[in-house]
Structures are given as C-alpha cells and as structure tokens.
Amino acid sequence: MAPPRRTRKQLLDFALGFPAAWLDHPWGEDVAKVGKKVFVFFGSGDIDDLSITVKLEDSNDQALVVPGAEPAGYGLGRSGWVTIPLRDTTPPPGVLKDWIDESYRRIAPRQLIAELDG
C-alpha cells in the first residue's frame, strides 16, 4: 500500500470525482458531500487520524474485519457507517474506492446515481 497520506489524497480526489460531490470542512475535518449530505469522512488528516468513514450496507461485514476498523462513533455505526484506518494493513486503494462508491450510492439522490451509471 502507498503511504497513508498519499492514499488519503488519492481517495479524497476519487470521492470528489463523483457527480455533484464537493469538499467541506465541518468539525475541522475533511468530508466529501453530495448535496448537504456527507458520504465520506476523511478525518483531520493528522498522522494519528488517517482514516475514512463510509456508509456501507453490502460491504459492511467485510469492512469490519479490516484490522482497526470499527463502527463509527456518535451512533453512526448503527446506520452502517464504518471507520477504516489507513495503515499498512488496510486493503488496497481499489477496495477502498469500491467502498467510497458504495457509500456515495447510499447517500446520493437517484438522478445523480443514474448520471453516474449513464
């Protein structure tokens, strides 16, 4: 795996490539949004906080077996949100991109998903 900071940057760029996706900075962290809704939390970017948090349904169990992964805090885990640390033990970027894609599809309006698939 690439160094965690570089992987984080690649994943952030990937997330912002989705239709109507944009970067916001609530709570001092980077988040990718579609409309007013977050589909990926990227944390603050501090070396101790290199992770992504995505909303998964189909891949939730798979993501939770990643070493250090856990249901997201603040009750978000009950809704399928999973925090995955970016470490040497993290799956390759392609898997993480699949999870970002799944999260986007869980959050985005139908017309944007249709645009993505069109």
Side-chain angles (χ1 to χ4, degrees):
M1 181 174 160
R5 282 190 192 275
R6 187 169 14 156
T7 299
R8 180 185 187 274
K9 173 76 169 109
Q10 290 172 353
L11 296 174
L12 180 58
D13 291 345
F14 175 77
L16 296 177
F18 284 96
W22 60 285
L23 181 63
D24 197 7
H25 308 283
W27 318 290
E29 65 179 288
D30 294 337
V31 299
K33 290 184 171 181
V34 57
K36 293 182 180 183
K37 296 182 178 183
V38 174
F39 69 97
V40 188
F41 293 87
F42 285 94
S44 65
D46 293 337
I47 193 69
D48 296 330
D49 186 28
L50 293 174
S51 65
I52 63 168
T53 301
V54 286
K55 187 171 186 175
L56 303 174
E57 183 174 345
D58 298 334
S59 305
N60 192 283
D61 291 340
Q62 180 186 10
L64 286 170
V65 299
V66 172
E70 60 187 9
Y74 305 105
L76 293 173
R78 284 180 258 137
S79 298
W81 288 91
V82 180
T83 299
I84 302 131
L86 300 179
R87 301 179 182 153
D88 292 339
T89 56
T90 303
V95 172
L96 299 173
K97 288 177 180 180
D98 286 346
W99 292 343
I100 290 170
D101 179 83
E102 183 178 337
S103 187
Y104 177 85
R105 291 169 185 276
R106 295 274 326 249
I107 302 297
R110 285 188 200 117
Q111 70 269 20
L112 292 177
I113 295 169
E115 180 182 328
L116 181 63
D117 291 338

